[in-house]
Amino acid sequence: MKLSIVKAYVLKELSEIVRSRLIVMVYLMPTMVLVLFGYGIRMEVTGARTLIIDYDQSHYSRLLIEKFTHSKYFTVQKELRLESEALDAIHRAQSDVVVIIPESFEKRLLHGQKIQIGVFVDAAFPMRGSTIESYVKGVVLNAASAIQERRLDRDAHTIAINQRTLFNQAMRDEDAIVPGLIGLVLLIAPAILAALLIVKEKEKGTIFNFYASALSKAEFIAAKLIPVFFLHSINIFILFLWATYWFDVPFRGSFWLYWVASELYLVISLSIGMLISIVTRTQIVAVVLTVIVTIIPGFLYSGILMPISSMVGFSRYEAHIFPVMYYNHILYDVFLVGEGLASEKTQFYLFILAFYGLFLMGLGSLILKKELR
Amino acid sequence: MRVFWTVVARELVRFIRSWQLVLVVLYAFTMEVYIAGSGIELKPRNVAIGYVDESGGGLSQKLLHYFHEPEFLPPVAFNSQTALSQAVFDKEIVLGLIFDEDFEQDFRKNKHATLNVLLDATAASQAYTTLSYLSNIVLNFSDTAFSVELVTHKLFNENANNATFMALTELLSITTMLSVILTAVVFVKEKEDGTWDIMLLMPVNAKSIILAKSFSQVIIVMIGIVISVGFVVFGAFDTPIHGSFFAFLVLAFLYAFTGAGIGLFVAAIAKDVMQVAQLSVVIMLPLIFLSGAWTPIYAMHPWLQTLSLLSPLRYFIEGTESIFFRGTPVLELYPYFLGVFGVGSILYLIGFRKIGHLF
Amino acid sequence: MRLEVRDVSVFHKNRLGIAHANFEANEGEIIGFIGADGAGKSSLIHAIAGVIACQGEIVFDHHTYRSCKEAEPLKARIGLMPQGIGLVLYDLLTVDEHLRFFADIHDLRRDDAFEAYKMRLLQMAGLEKFKDRQAGKLSGGMMQKLSLICTLLHRPKLLVLDEPTTGVDPLSRIELWEILEEIRRSEGTICLISTAYMQEAAKMDKILLFDEQKIIAQGTSAELLKTVESLCYDPDTPCVEPCIRTLQTLYTLSPLEATSTQTPTLEALFFVNALRNGKTMPPIVLSDKKKSDFEGDVLMDAKGLTKRFGTFVANDNVDICLKKGEILGLLGANGAGKTTFIKMLLGLYPIDRGELRLLGKTIETPQDRQALKASIGYVSQHFALYNDMSVQENLLYFASMRGLSSETANERIKRYAQELGFENYLNALPPELPLGINQRFSLASALLHEPVILFLDEPTSGVDAIARAQFWELLKCLKEKWKIAILITTHYMSEAEFCDRVVLMRQGTKIADDTIEGFYAKHPKARNFEEIFLEYFR
């Protein structure tokens, strides 16, 4: 490889990126996504808008309502009299849940009879619906057993849960989301930048310089990718700082592992962009294709929203095909778990990342054509 | 008007000629939507459970019975706590239960029995729901003599059919991305190729050209939406629709136009396709995110809530949910129409000014 | 060192590029490729440069190749400049950075000798003052020159230039030839050059004449000229046999008995060859104009127009007026501000200072222009066509934008296609076509709506001789029949002679403005307009 030639190309690419002000985007986009999403995505459903209809108006029913009022999961909007009014509010998407306490709530409770509490949940967003439902259940059961304990004045048969949440003791959303976001950002941003590098030259005609020069295909690819690689390598550190200092995500693993894995991952996302750039003929196809193969899978298969283990069918395969899953495993490990290379799985995933990078690069230089068509 | 239709026809022909683009757009509207709908579950499913049973008794096994499919995989027994925690570290097990020696005795003696739980909380959303499942199971178990029954009515999406919801969300995201990018590129390509100069010299109204170009891309997106809804949402997932399908189409049309307006705005700032790519991602991601598709708007930071008022996708998603699931009557949908229309109009005003000022 | 091309054929997908080409070139030879647009020159050039696979074999310096892979080891010694304006340039890099970049990718040591050579090239191209300007902001001619010096930079042993001088002013062309001469003498470089300037072709050691995907003749300029001797006559010579009559010359198939013989130029080869193939120039028939004419004599009057880009003054106080039925040639070196001036007239650049009247209307706001747009036609230097639509569709589209009915549009497209000679290409996409052909329908698109004023920015650059002759015939017809006013820029000095009046520009200012006769009167010794031009710019 003729280093001086590659260097010349690298310098050229760099100054083009700086002059076209793309450099701003290179650093703005990842940070923006991390901050915005880190702040914004909440997995925990809190403050579900709740309407309570209390037909009983008794001491115990108020006790139950109080439990709702004190729960952070619910924001009790109003206590209503009319069911139709409440349902109307749900229909207009102004409330999420309606709880109906039946007339004989206290009486039945005191007599140990079966009580039915009516709950209406807006399940348009199914997960939110189910979550709210189980929260309601929790509050009601909790209240009921407290009431019963008080009534019987003895301990009931209970099981307390001594929960040790590993890796994310406080169950902070930030801890759970931010590392995943790094995986997402480092997939999208470099890929989109790299996706246009070659197809742009094809469309403009400057690709002739490559066709007619002594530059080999590997050198050309290296020359195209190195500048973007370096620019985005800095993002690895910037994103790390945002995560640990701004979002206070703990960092329990080895920084070296984080760094090496991230660089490998960067090679992969750049290669994805490059491959797209090689196979497409126009820039617009390249852009749309990159957006589709990075943003959506990046989101869905990153494990931010759901663990891969819960996926079924085709998306389970797709998740395994995309590199995000492997990198995110390592990310969560270095941030929250800290096992590092001691875990065989991490070693294996690191190996997969390296293989993936090499494979894509090889494929790229294989299908890149150095001739007019 | 003839000019308008000529421009529209031309853009459509151009689109169809680029078979690569046609394929990619078709893929996005069909396969992507299908994959997202069929595979992605936001509820816990197949959660791997491991346990260590030192109590050696019936109670623990009874409890374990409650963890059944599809939410949970059959619990796996481990010999020691160390083995269990190693498995959690390796992410083979999400939920680890430890029944210690006194567990059953304590329970029988009316003392508080303690169940130790290890939970991998890296995937927070799953962790939350798994935890609340667990506590409900345990609470239910605690005193069977006492009975409160919840009668839950899941409104609008009775079976809490996740496929439908995910497919729709995905469709809306794709609509956003394509309407923005396709339109932005249509304008920027002209800038890049120098054909814009020629257009500027034509004795035609700048606004009608801008509108025609946006409209052509809106048509492409609308065709995509119809295909997607027809084949995937209705066809593959058999989604019921409670409201008016026509209202949905009108809303989608308005939204696609607004998306094109964003594209216009992007094209006004960007100089080449490279910048379009970067800018549209920077604009689209917050848009999709602020729409409430992933996080309920009321659970966001207050300032993000305010900001989300600017996201046309918010109105589109709420409107679509209302039409598909809530079956809201057409007349009551006006806030969504107004919202999408309002944001769109502002964008076009900016676009006209920015791109059309050269005329 | 020798180059041998043996029975080379090139296919673009299924389309034939060039068939069975054979020729040889010795060390230090300059070989010229001439021929009609689309005759296969570029295909052969691409094959020799090793950027497209071919059949047959090419031997350079004892190395045989026919595929790109086989040519790979030679690439360091080959310099290719592809056809098309600014094709190898990166818009955002400055002139100086381009030179450094090309030096680096060819692994040149940047020592004193290199710096001196670089300066020399820059001076030749007249770019030394624009070293820090980004390529995207250069004028078309300057881009062309920059591409050229970037190719010359590494002193390749085999130099392959595809229309390097298209859009380049006469001064720079002379300089270029000096450099080529020097390189070939000192390094023994073999140069293959395609060109549309026949004066240049005359300087080559050997000329290959291309027609319809074949090399139909080769030899020295003198040898080739001999074949057309006594076939060229003064244009007013009567003739009944098959012949082609242009503004300057009458070409025939067999000698006439007339006495008004002209000394043939290489251009004659094209015409005589066309005649041999049974082709003649279609007569130009202009239908009567339907639109009512503009009353008044002065169609365009610019007073003190000034344009600045930052500190750079592109146009300084330029006064030009254009009368009805007049062809005005705007001439000057590359970067003199001709394009800027036209763009100001069109409203593509805002006017910084000065007053402009178009068709009797003072232009102050963009609204003032709106009504005039229907009366103006424009062909830009970088002809702007939609690359993903066929020629026919492009033209129909523009016609429809102009509000023409489809019957009228189809009829006119058919007519121009015939007159400008691109009927065979109506269904092709612009990027597949040679520069010269693209240029022709850009012109057609500017004429579709029958404008009153035409602004033509180098409409004939890279166009072959026959098409140019036809084109000027058409312009003359338009002028005489429709009384159209035409402002045209060109680098063919011979074309200046067809203008009624010529304005010379240098560094953004007008330095001369006179009728052709006036110029000749002032420079009695000049034999042609090129000499007059050089007088002003030397």
Side-chain angles (χ1 to χ4, degrees):
Chain A
M1 191 171 281
K2 293 177 216 73
L3 280 178
S4 59
I5 299 186
V6 176
K7 196 183 113 202
Y9 252 101
V10 168
L11 285 178
K12 185 217 80 170
E13 294 287 333
L14 266 182
S15 50
E16 280 192 308
I17 290 173
V18 172
R19 294 222 177 114
S20 60
R21 304 215 192 89
L22 275 179
I23 188 92
V24 181
M25 290 298 169
V26 169
Y27 293 113
L28 180 75
M29 185 159 83
T31 294
M32 193 195 81
V33 171
L34 194 73
V35 171
L36 207 57
F37 284 38
Y39 263 120
I41 296 190
R42 287 288 166 268
M43 289 305 165
E44 199 181 17
V45 181
T46 52
R49 297 163 300 177
T50 314
L51 290 173
I52 300 179
I53 302 174
D54 184 0
Y55 286 126
D56 201 34
Q57 298 285 342
S58 60
H59 173 65
Y60 282 123
S61 73
R62 271 190 213 108
L63 218 66
L64 179 61
I65 293 172
E66 208 170 287
K67 286 270 181 191
F68 274 103
T69 326
H70 288 153
S71 163
K72 69 169 172 170
Y73 299 118
F74 300 96
T75 307
V76 178
Q77 289 172 310
K78 240 192 252 159
E79 290 168 33
L80 281 171
R81 289 296 160 117
L82 280 175
E83 227 167 287
S84 60
E85 223 177 298
L87 287 180
D88 206 42
I90 281 201
H91 267 275
R92 268 184 275 111
Q94 284 163 355
S95 294
D96 300 300
V97 57
V98 175
V99 178
I100 301 169
I101 305 174
E103 237 173 305
S104 46
F105 179 72
E106 193 177 62
K107 210 170 84 195
R108 282 174 166 266
L109 192 75
L110 292 173
H111 289 88
Q113 282 168 318
K114 202 169 178 184
I115 307 164
Q116 286 192 327
I117 291 178
V119 179
F120 291 87
V121 184
D122 180 347
F125 192 150
M127 171 197 156
R128 218 182 291 164
S130 316
T131 315
I132 292 174
E133 185 197 355
S134 64
Y135 285 157
V136 173
K137 217 185 230 169
V139 170
V140 171
L141 286 174
N142 203 331
S145 66
I147 290 167
Q148 195 175 26
E149 246 173 64
R150 209 193 293 178
R151 185 173 65 93
L152 300 175
D153 205 19
R154 66 163 172 90
D155 283 355
H157 301 271
T158 51
I159 303 169
I161 293 176
N162 176 22
Q163 154 202 345
R164 260 199 300 147
T165 324
L166 292 174
F167 321 133
N168 185 1
Q169 279 81 354
M171 294 275 269
R172 290 178 69 224
D173 272 332
E174 286 90 337
D175 292 7
I177 289 166
V178 170
L181 283 177
I182 295 181
L184 175 67
V185 161
L186 284 184
L187 178 70
I188 300 174
I192 288 195
L193 195 58
L196 291 176
L197 289 177
I198 296 176
V199 71
K200 186 182 71 179
E201 296 221 10
K202 275 197 254 179
E203 228 179 69
K204 275 220 71 183
T206 39
I207 193 88
F208 257 109
N209 290 341
F210 161 58
Y211 290 158
S213 72
L215 207 62
S216 75
K217 292 199 283 186
E219 286 166 341
F220 182 65
I221 289 178
K224 283 277 166 192
L225 294 190
I226 286 171
V228 192
F229 179 77
F230 278 126
L231 289 177
H232 271 292
S233 289
I234 298 173
N235 268 327
I236 296 176
F237 298 94
I238 296 180
L239 292 175
F240 170 80
L241 292 178
W242 277 111
T244 50
Y245 284 94
W246 189 261
F247 287 109
D248 279 330
V249 180
F251 192 84
R252 304 204 173 97
S254 125
F255 187 79
W256 285 103
L257 177 61
Y258 167 74
W259 189 58
V260 170
S262 303
E263 297 286 15
L264 278 178
Y265 184 62
L266 202 54
V267 171
I268 295 173
S269 45
L270 288 176
S271 311
I272 292 177
M274 174 202 69
L275 275 179
I276 290 176
S277 206
I278 292 173
V279 296
T280 52
R281 281 191 295 191
T282 49
Q283 294 187 71
I284 173 157
V285 181
V287 176
V288 175
L289 195 59
T290 318
V291 165
I292 286 173
V293 303
T294 57
I295 295 189
I296 294 164
F299 241 124
L300 295 180
Y301 306 131
S302 59
I304 304 178
L305 293 172
M306 66 178 306
I308 312 289
S309 61
S310 293
M311 293 180 184
V312 287
F314 195 69
S315 42
R316 196 184 165 93
Y317 298 118
E318 213 176 286
H320 280 80
I321 294 170
F322 276 92
V324 201
M325 173 188 135
Y326 306 103
Y327 177 58
N328 274 21
H329 178 86
I330 297 175
L331 269 184
Y332 280 111
D333 185 87
V334 289
F335 274 101
L336 303 178
V337 184
E339 254 208 315
L341 288 173
S343 149
E344 274 174 35
K345 208 166 181 183
T346 309
Q347 290 174 17
F348 179 56
Y349 279 6
L350 201 63
F351 170 74
I352 288 185
L353 286 182
F355 169 75
Y356 218 118
L358 277 177
F359 172 72
L360 290 179
M361 287 292 244
L363 190 64
S365 46
L366 197 71
I367 57 177
L368 177 67
K369 289 274 176 290
K370 197 187 170 183
E371 62 180 271
L372 270 181
R373 299 253 223 156
Chain B
M1 257 343 245
R2 202 174 136 231
V3 168
F4 182 88
W5 291 111
T6 314
V7 175
V8 172
R10 188 192 79 87
E11 293 297 339
L12 290 181
V13 167
R14 266 177 94 163
F15 173 76
I16 291 166
R17 287 245 170 102
S18 169
W19 59 269
Q20 281 190 332
L21 190 57
V22 175
L23 278 188
V24 168
V25 169
L26 264 183
Y27 171 83
F29 272 116
T30 53
M31 282 311 284
E32 274 299 324
V33 175
Y34 179 75
I35 291 171
S38 63
I40 306 285
E41 271 282 6
L42 293 172
K43 316 191 275 198
R45 188 158 62 173
N46 298 339
V47 174
I49 298 182
Y51 67 94
V52 178
D53 193 353
E54 289 166 354
S55 69
L59 181 63
S60 54
Q61 290 303 322
K62 244 193 218 167
L63 237 163
L64 286 171
H65 263 292
Y66 280 83
F67 297 98
H68 48 68
E69 286 176 321
E71 285 89 356
F72 303 98
L73 290 172
V76 183
F78 283 85
N79 288 331
S80 66
Q81 289 200 26
T82 352
L84 180 62
S85 48
Q86 185 58 44
V88 176
F89 269 88
D90 280 349
K91 305 223 167 173
E92 276 148 24
I93 294 294
V94 176
L95 184 67
L97 303 171
I98 300 159
F99 304 97
D100 51 23
E101 281 174 60
D102 310 330
F103 177 70
E104 181 145 5
Q105 262 182 328
D106 282 348
F107 184 73
R108 300 258 178 254
K109 282 183 191 157
N110 269 345
K111 278 198 219 152
H112 284 289
T114 312
L115 171 62
N116 291 312
V117 174
L118 296 175
L119 183 66
D120 169 9
T122 45
S125 93
Q126 310 288 311
Y128 286 125
T129 3
T130 308
L131 204 60
S132 71
Y133 263 76
L134 178 68
S135 54
N136 284 347
I137 289 170
V138 171
L139 268 173
N140 250 337
F141 206 77
S142 293
D143 209 329
T144 36
F146 172 77
S147 63
V148 173
E149 194 188 345
L150 283 191
V151 185
T152 313
H153 307 268
K154 286 196 178 142
L155 294 172
F156 317 131
N157 191 354
E158 285 82 2
N159 316 318
N161 186 346
N162 202 40
T164 301
F165 179 78
M166 282 310 296
L168 269 182
T169 310
E170 182 76 13
L171 170 63
L172 303 190
S173 308
I174 283 179
T175 305
T176 312
M177 290 193 232
L178 290 181
S179 58
V180 172
I181 296 184
L182 289 179
T183 316
V185 172
V186 161
F187 284 103
V188 165
K189 264 319 270 175
E190 298 235 2
K191 269 199 207 174
E192 238 183 35
D193 291 349
T195 39
W196 195 242
D197 275 2
I198 304 291
M199 291 313 292
L200 294 176
L201 295 173
M202 295 289 166
V204 283
N205 188 309
K207 287 185 183 119
S208 73
I209 293 197
I210 291 175
L211 280 178
K213 282 190 177 289
S214 326
F215 182 70
S216 64
Q217 304 309 305
V218 171
I219 289 182
I220 294 169
V221 171
M222 282 308 289
I223 293 174
I225 290 178
V226 170
I227 290 177
S228 184
V229 171
F231 285 100
V232 183
V233 177
F234 288 156
F237 297 130
D238 205 13
T239 310
I241 177 163
H242 298 300
S244 144
F245 182 62
F246 182 71
F248 168 72
L249 283 186
V250 174
L251 190 63
F253 180 80
L254 278 181
Y255 178 69
F257 233 106
T258 305
I262 299 171
L264 184 65
F265 178 74
V266 170
I269 323 176
K271 276 200 212 108
D272 51 27
V273 181
M274 198 92 166
Q275 293 186 351
V276 166
Q278 306 280 323
L279 272 173
S280 19
V281 171
V282 166
I283 291 180
M284 269 182 327
L285 282 179
L287 203 68
I288 293 177
F289 150 70
L290 282 174
S291 64
W294 305 114
T295 302
I297 287 170
Y298 58 74
M300 288 180 191
H301 255 252
W303 58 271
L304 283 180
Q305 287 192 33
T306 321
L307 219 58
S308 80
L309 289 173
L310 290 176
S311 166
L313 187 57
R314 172 184 175 167
Y315 305 106
F316 186 35
I317 285 195
E318 285 182 4
T320 306
E321 280 178 9
S322 295
I323 292 168
F324 269 85
F325 302 127
R326 300 195 181 98
T328 315
V330 176
L331 282 180
E332 282 180 31
L333 289 169
Y334 74 91
Y336 308 121
F337 285 92
L338 272 185
V340 173
F341 186 75
V343 178
S345 312
I346 295 169
L347 285 167
Y348 274 91
L349 283 182
I350 299 174
F352 282 154
R353 198 165 278 223
K354 272 278 205 175
I355 291 220
H357 82 284
L358 288 161
F359 277 81
Chain C
M1 211 177 310
R2 250 170 89 78
L3 173 74
E4 282 174 52
V5 172
R6 297 190 198 129
D7 198 30
V8 166
S9 301
V10 175
F11 288 91
H12 303 275
K13 293 197 184 109
N14 295 318
R15 198 163 46 83
L16 180 66
I18 181 84
H20 310 293
N22 280 293
F23 77 92
E24 287 165 14
N26 292 315
E27 193 165 311
E29 271 187 342
I30 300 182
I31 312 282
F33 288 17
I34 61 172
D37 299 323
K41 297 177 298 232
S42 295
S43 299
L44 187 56
I45 280 176
H46 287 154
I48 294 171
V51 298
I52 194 165
C54 63
Q55 293 163 11
E57 57 180 24
I58 301 168
V59 187
F60 175 60
D61 198 15
H62 311 298
H63 186 104
T64 310
Y65 58 95
R66 57 187 77 74
S67 72
C68 301
K69 218 178 193 133
E70 287 167 344
E72 207 59 24
L74 291 172
K75 296 244 167 113
R77 283 184 284 161
I78 300 178
L80 166 70
M81 176 179 164
Q83 193 185 61
I85 294 166
L87 217 52
V88 298
L89 304 180
Y90 302 94
D91 284 353
L92 291 168
L93 293 195
T94 65
V95 170
D96 204 42
E97 282 163 342
H98 270 98
L99 292 171
R100 257 183 283 156
F101 171 67
F102 278 89
D104 287 343
I105 64 171
H106 290 119
D107 228 353
L108 299 183
R109 208 156 9 106
R110 285 195 247 147
D111 51 16
D112 288 348
F114 167 78
E115 287 298 325
Y117 181 53
K118 186 180 97 180
M119 271 324 287
R120 170 105 205 277
L121 289 174
L122 277 172
Q123 263 158 16
M124 178 276 283
L127 287 170
E128 70 272 29
K129 268 188 261 155
F130 302 101
K131 260 164 74 177
D132 297 319
R133 194 183 283 193
Q134 293 183 4
K137 293 179 180 148
L138 293 176
S139 78
M142 280 151 89
M143 281 187 180
Q144 198 70 349
K145 290 195 278 193
L146 179 57
S147 315
L148 182 61
I149 60 176
C150 286
T151 319
L152 294 176
L153 202 61
H154 66 293
R155 299 177 180 245
K157 293 287 173 250
L158 175 58
L159 197 51
V160 194
L161 309 174
D162 199 355
E163 300 204 0
T165 49
T166 292
V168 172
D169 62 61
L171 270 164
S172 305
R173 290 208 298 266
I174 293 170
E175 292 274 348
L176 166 75
W177 276 95
E178 284 172 12
I179 290 185
L180 286 180
E181 275 296 326
E182 185 206 294
I183 292 182
R184 74 141 153 191
R185 220 174 299 125
S186 60
E187 330 241 334
T189 302
I190 300 174
C191 306
L192 308 178
I193 303 172
S194 73
T195 183
Y197 293 92
M198 290 307 125
Q199 302 98 308
E200 283 178 4
K203 293 181 194 162
M204 319 248 184
D205 298 316
K206 186 155 73 175
I207 298 169
L208 308 186
L209 180 63
F210 287 69
D211 193 37
E212 298 187 335
Q213 282 51 59
K214 277 195 280 291
I215 298 178
I216 54 164
Q218 46 182 303
T220 61
S221 168
E223 281 164 10
L224 289 175
L225 284 177
K226 209 164 232 164
T227 61
V228 290
E229 223 174 24
S230 72
L231 295 177
C232 308
Y233 302 91
D234 280 345
D236 41 2
T237 318
C239 173
V240 284
E241 290 167 61
C243 64
I244 296 177
R245 206 184 291 272
T246 69
L247 291 177
Q248 279 173 319
T249 320
L250 174 85
Y251 301 98
T252 59
L253 255 180
S254 47
L256 296 179
E257 283 173 22
T259 47
S260 53
T261 326
Q262 283 186 346
T263 356
T265 61
L266 283 169
E267 287 179 6
L269 288 171
F270 289 77
F271 292 96
V272 173
N273 187 54
L275 279 170
R276 284 193 185 124
N277 290 338
K279 282 186 243 166
T280 49
M281 287 212 311
I284 289 179
V285 202
L286 280 180
S287 55
D288 284 327
K289 214 172 158 187
K290 287 175 196 95
K291 276 187 234 167
S292 64
D293 259 338
F294 165 73
E295 305 286 326
D297 203 33
V298 178
L299 292 187
M300 188 272 288
D301 191 12
K303 282 210 180 78
L305 288 198
T306 301
K307 179 78 212 162
R308 285 190 203 86
F309 295 106
T311 53
F312 178 76
V313 184
N315 278 160
D316 191 11
N317 250 326
V318 181
D319 306 329
I320 291 179
C321 94
L322 185 59
K323 293 195 197 70
K324 198 186 230 172
E326 179 181 52
I327 300 182
L328 174 67
L330 189 56
L331 269 52
N334 297 125
K338 304 183 294 290
T339 301
T340 309
F341 183 72
I342 291 183
K343 286 199 168 176
M344 261 200 294
L345 298 182
L346 289 165
L348 294 175
Y349 287 151
I351 297 168
D352 284 347
R353 196 149 43 77
E355 195 190 305
L356 175 66
R357 286 171 72 80
L358 280 174
L359 296 142
K361 231 172 131 180
T362 309
I363 304 294
E364 268 153 5
T365 62
Q367 278 73 40
D368 294 339
R369 290 183 185 276
Q370 196 66 28
L372 300 178
K373 281 181 183 171
S375 318
I376 295 176
Y378 168 55
V379 173
S380 90
Q381 207 172 13
H382 306 261
F383 36 84
L385 297 155
Y386 292 100
N387 289 337
D388 41 13
M389 294 199 304
S390 73
V391 172
Q392 172 113 17
E393 287 164 335
N394 259 297
L395 292 175
L396 276 175
Y397 179 65
F398 287 121
S400 171
M401 290 284 112
R402 296 280 190 187
L404 298 183
S405 74
S406 44
E407 299 97 70
T408 328
N410 273 318
E411 179 219 307
R412 285 186 196 167
I413 290 168
K414 216 172 133 200
R415 204 182 69 217
Y416 287 126
Q418 218 169 36
E419 285 169 3
L420 294 170
F422 59 85
E423 315 133 276
N424 296 335
Y425 302 101
L426 276 176
N427 291 317
L429 298 179
E432 298 168 356
L433 297 175
L435 199 74
I437 306 278
N438 276 320
Q439 202 65 302
R440 295 182 205 178
F441 42 82
S442 298
L443 182 70
S445 85
L447 288 173
L448 279 175
H449 60 294
E450 304 188 336
V452 180
I453 309 188
L454 258 184
F455 296 114
L456 306 174
D457 199 359
E458 296 189 27
T460 51
S461 283
V463 177
D464 68 38
I466 300 185
R468 277 194 290 125
Q470 186 77 8
F471 167 71
W472 275 99
E473 199 91 29
L474 178 68
L475 286 193
K476 205 173 148 221
C477 232
L478 286 170
K479 169 183 105 166
E480 279 162 7
K481 217 162 171 188
W482 289 355
K483 300 277 176 242
I484 285 185
I486 298 166
L487 179 71
I488 184 169
T489 70
T490 179
H491 290 301
Y492 291 92
M493 290 306 127
S494 57
E495 291 182 350
E497 324 240 2
F498 306 141
C499 300
D500 298 308
R501 201 153 55 87
V502 167
V503 168
L504 295 182
M505 279 183 83
R506 186 171 56 197
Q507 289 170 17
T509 50
K510 184 168 96 168
I511 53 169
D513 182 350
D514 208 338
T515 58
I516 289 292
E517 295 75 30
F519 274 109
Y520 275 108
K522 267 185 242 164
H523 303 270
K525 270 186 268 168
R527 277 172 300 157
N528 54 35
F529 203 82
E530 179 140 9
E531 288 175 15
I532 299 176
F533 181 83
L534 293 177
E535 288 276 322
Y536 282 92
F537 290 89
R538 272 265 153 86

